[in-house]
C-alpha cells in the first residue's frame, strides 16, 4: 500500500469557493483517494472514482448526512431529508413517488404553459427595444424559476421571498457548521424555515400541483402522511436555487464563449445539450459527502468505517482523464455521463424539471435575441456547495 496523499486545502475557504478549479485539479492529481487533513475526511475527484463511489450506495451511505456533519454523532440543523439523506429501503418510497410526479410524462402538461411564461418574461424584459442591458441573474436566471416553479408546486403567492435564502442556507449547511457562510445564514433561518415548513402542509398547498400530488400519493398509501410534508420540503429545498444557478451558468457560458450563441441560434435543437453542457462545465452543485459503512477499499488504499468522503462532482466533470478539452464549454460535445446531477440512486430527481425550465427560457431568448454579450465582470455568489452568480451583466440585442 502506498501512503495516502494528504492535502491541506480547505474546500470551504472563500478564496477556494471563488475559484475552485485549481483545488479540483490538485485533488485529481494527488491520487484517486486523498485525505483532507484539515477536516479529518477523505476526498475523491477523478471521474472514474466519483462515478464508482456514487454507484456504490451499499458502501457509501447517505443517511449519515451528505454534508460534513455526521448525523450519527452530531445533530443535523433540520430533520433529515427523506430522499437526499436516506438510504434504501427507507429512501425508495419517497424517491419512487417523486420520480413519478417530476418525471417527463407528468411534465408534459407544463410544457406549453412554461414556454408561454418564458416568452412573456423575455418580452417584458426587452420591452420592444432593439437592445437592453440587464443583470441577467435577477431578471432571467432567478425570475424564470421563481415565476414557474412555486406555481407548479402549488405555493401561495406571498412569502416566496423565503425560498432562495432557505435553499442557499441548506446548501451552505453541507459545509462546516462554524463557517462564516453558515453563521451568516443562521441569523434569519428561523423565519425562512418556519415559512417553508408551513407551506409543506396540505392546507397551504393548491389543490393542483406537485405538492398536492405528494399528498395524494400519501392518500394512496405510497407514502405515510407523516412523510408527505418532508417530501414537499425536498422540492422547496432542492428545486429553486439549483435551477436559478443552473440557468445562470448556461447564460454565462453562452455569453462568455465566442460563437456559442450564434451556433445555438443556427441549431436551436441543441438547447438541451447546451444546458447539460453548462451543468457539466459549471457543476452548480459542486460536491456532496458520503459516509463509509465499513472499511472500503478505494484504489490501493482503504477508507476506514464511519469516515466522511467528499465526492467532487465538479472535479469529475472536468477530469481530463475522461473528457477531451474539459475546460471548453463546447456545444458540439456529448456531455451525457456528466455527474452534475449526481449518479446512481440519488441522481437528481428534479432534473427533468430543471431541463424544462432551461429549455423554455433559452428557446424564448433564441427566438428574439441575436446577440448575447457580457458588458462587465460577472460577480460570484459564494456558497459551500453551489457554484453561482450574484450578478451577470449582459447586453441582449434583438
Ligand atoms: C432535500 C434535498 C435534495 C437535494 C439537494 C438538497 C439542499 C436537498 O431532499 O431536501 O440540497
Amino acid at each position: 500500500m502506498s501512503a495516502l496523499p494528504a492535502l491541506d486545502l480547505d474546500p470551504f475557504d472563500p478564496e477556494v469557493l471563488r475559484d475552485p478549479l485549481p483545488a479540483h485539479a490538485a485533488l485529481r492529481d494527488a491520487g484517486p483517494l486523498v485525505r483532507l487533513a484539515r477536516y479529518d475526511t477523505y476526498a475523491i475527484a477523478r471521474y472514474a472514482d466519483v462515478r464508482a463511489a456514487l454507484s456504490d450506495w451499499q458502501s457509501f451511505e447517505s443517511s449519515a448526512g451528505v454534508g460534513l456533519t455526521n448525523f450519527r454523532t452530531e445533530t443535523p440543523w433540520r430533520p433529515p431529508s427523506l430522499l437526499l439523506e436516506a438510504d434504501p429501503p427507507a429512501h425508495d418510497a419517497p424517491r419512487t413517488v417523486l420520480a413519478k410526479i417530476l418525471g417527463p410524462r407528468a411534465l408534459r402538461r407544463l410544457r406549453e404553459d412554461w414556454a408561454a411564461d418564458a416568452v412573456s418574461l423575455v418580452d417584458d424584459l426587452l420591452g420592444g427595444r432593439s437592445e437592453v442591458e440587464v443583470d441577467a441573474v435577477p431578471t432571467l436566471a432567478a425570475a424564470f424559476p421563481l415565476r414557474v416553479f412555486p406555481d407548479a408546486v402549488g405555493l401561495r403567492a406571498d412569502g416566496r421571498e423565503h425560498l432562495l435564502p432557505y435553499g442557499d442556507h441548506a446548501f451552505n449547511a453541507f459545509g462546516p457548521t462554524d463557517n462564516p457562510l453558515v453563521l451568516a445564514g443562521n441569523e434569519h433561518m428561523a423565519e425562512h424555515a418556519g415559512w417553508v415548513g408551513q407551506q409543506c402542509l396540505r392546507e397551504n398547498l393548491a389543490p393542483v400541483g406537485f405538492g398536492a400530488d405528494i399528498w395524494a400519493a400519501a392518500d394512496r398509501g405510497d407514502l405515510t402522511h407523516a412523510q408527505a410534508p418532508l417530501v414537499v420540503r425536498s422540492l422547496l429545498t432542492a428545486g429553486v436555487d439549483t435551477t436559478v444557478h443552473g440557468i445562470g451558468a448556461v447564460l454565462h457560458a453562452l455569453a462568455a464563449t465566442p460563437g456559442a450563441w450564434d451556433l445555438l441560434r443556427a441549431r436551436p435543437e441543441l438547447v438541451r445539450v447546451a444546458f447539460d453542457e453548462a451543468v457539466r462545465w459549471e457543476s452548480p452543485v459542486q460536491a456532496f459527502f458520503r459516509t463509509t459503512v465499513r472499511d472500503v477499499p478505494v484504489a490501493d488504499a482503504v477508507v476506514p468505517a464511519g469516515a466522511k468522503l467528499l465526492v467532487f462532482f465538479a472535479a469529475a466533470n472536468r477530469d481530463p482523464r475522461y473528457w477531451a478539452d474539459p475546460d471548453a464549454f463546447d456545444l458540439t460535445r456529448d456531455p451525457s455521463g456528466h455527474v452534475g446531477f449526481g449518479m446512481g440512486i440519488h441522481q437528481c430527481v428534479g432534473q427533468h424539471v430543471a431541463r424544462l425550465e432551461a429549455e423554455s427560457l433559452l428557446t424564448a431568448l433564441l427566438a428574439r435575441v441575436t446577440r448575447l454579450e457580457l458588458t462587465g465582470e460577472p460577480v460570484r455568489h459564494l456558497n459551500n456547495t453551489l457554484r453561482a452568480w450574484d450578478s451577470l451583466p449582459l447586453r441582449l440585442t434583438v
Side-chain angles (χ1 to χ4, degrees):
M1 291 235 169
S2 55
L4 196 56
L7 292 185
D8 189 41
L9 73 90
D10 178 0
F12 307 107
D13 181 284
E15 288 318 303
V16 175
L17 294 177
R18 204 169 291 287
D19 177 17
L21 300 184
H24 295 164
L27 285 161
R28 283 191 304 259
D29 291 345
L33 177 70
V34 181
R35 245 184 93 68
L36 287 180
R38 183 179 302 249
Y39 293 110
D40 193 23
T41 60
Y42 298 79
I44 52 174
R46 294 184 184 178
Y47 181 85
D49 302 301
V50 164
R51 237 185 117 117
L54 292 176
S55 305
D56 184 5
W57 56 266
Q58 292 93 339
S59 303
F60 301 104
E61 66 175 355
S62 290
S63 46
V66 299
L68 185 61
T69 301
N70 188 330
F71 293 0
R72 311 258 174 258
T73 54
E74 296 159 278
T75 310
W77 73 280
R78 59 173 197 168
S81 162
L82 301 181
L83 289 110
L84 180 74
E85 295 154 333
D87 293 299
H91 159 270
D92 298 337
R95 170 73 191 204
T96 302
V97 164
L98 216 43
K100 181 129 196 240
I101 291 170
L102 303 179
R105 292 181 60 87
L107 295 186
R108 280 194 299 211
R109 66 178 179 83
L110 293 171
R111 220 187 148 78
E112 283 184 26
D113 284 356
W114 287 10
D117 284 330
V119 166
S120 127
L121 178 73
V122 170
D123 280 348
D124 287 351
L125 184 64
L126 297 174
R129 290 167 290 181
S130 60
E131 189 183 290
V132 298
E133 294 191 4
V134 298
D135 182 344
V137 171
T139 62
L140 292 168
F144 189 63
L146 286 172
R147 175 165 177 151
V148 298
F149 186 72
D151 282 348
V153 174
L155 298 182
R156 59 191 292 154
D158 62 299
R160 293 178 178 192
E161 68 278 6
H162 291 290
L163 289 167
L164 276 172
Y166 179 79
D168 196 54
H169 185 68
F171 281 96
N172 273 327
F174 296 118
T177 49
D178 61 350
N179 159 291
L181 292 166
V182 179
L183 296 177
N186 285 339
E187 212 169 313
H188 294 106
M189 206 40 51
E191 294 128 77
H192 301 316
W195 183 86
V196 165
Q198 282 300 310
Q199 307 324 306
C200 297
L201 304 178
R202 180 171 232 166
E203 68 255 34
N204 293 325
L205 290 160
V208 175
F210 300 146
D213 293 343
I214 290 168
W215 280 98
D219 291 344
R220 286 194 304 272
D222 296 343
L223 291 174
T224 68
H225 286 94
Q227 288 177 311
L230 277 175
V231 176
V232 179
R233 194 194 68 177
S234 283
L235 290 185
L236 304 187
T237 311
V240 184
D241 303 67
T242 49
T243 53
V244 168
H245 302 316
I247 291 170
V250 73
L251 291 175
H252 170 254
L254 290 167
T257 308
W261 191 252
D262 288 339
L263 177 57
L264 200 52
R265 290 211 325 128
R267 298 184 55 194
E269 72 278 7
L270 289 179
V271 282
R272 283 186 166 248
V273 171
F275 181 62
D276 269 86
E277 171 65 350
V279 172
R280 180 198 70 82
W281 192 65
E282 184 82 329
S283 300
V285 176
Q286 295 266 290
F288 278 135
F289 287 87
R290 293 289 188 269
T291 308
T292 47
V293 300
R294 51 184 161 73
D295 291 357
V296 180
V298 171
D300 62 355
V302 173
V303 188
K308 284 278 180 177
L309 177 82
L310 189 45
V311 183
F312 273 99
F313 308 162
N317 278 340
R318 288 182 183 232
D319 183 357
R321 294 160 192 78
Y322 182 81
W323 304 97
D325 200 5
D327 294 329
F329 174 78
D330 181 359
L331 295 176
T332 67
R333 84 162 79 230
D334 175 6
S336 62
H338 73 73
V339 291
F341 289 120
M343 174 71 55
I345 64 166
H346 292 286
Q347 189 179 43
C348 180
V349 74
Q351 60 185 281
H352 308 287
V353 182
R355 289 201 184 98
L356 185 59
E357 289 182 22
E359 180 185 2
S360 307
L361 185 60
L362 289 176
T363 300
L365 286 166
L366 280 173
R368 287 157 187 78
V369 174
T370 54
R371 277 159 48 137
L372 190 69
E373 299 158 294
L374 282 167
T375 56
E377 276 299 305
V379 180
R380 281 288 173 191
H381 174 78
L382 300 192
N383 181 286
N384 287 328
T385 305
L386 301 170
R387 186 106 174 107
W389 295 110
D390 254 340
S391 168
L392 205 50
L394 292 187
R395 182 185 305 116
L396 282 58
T397 307
V398 181

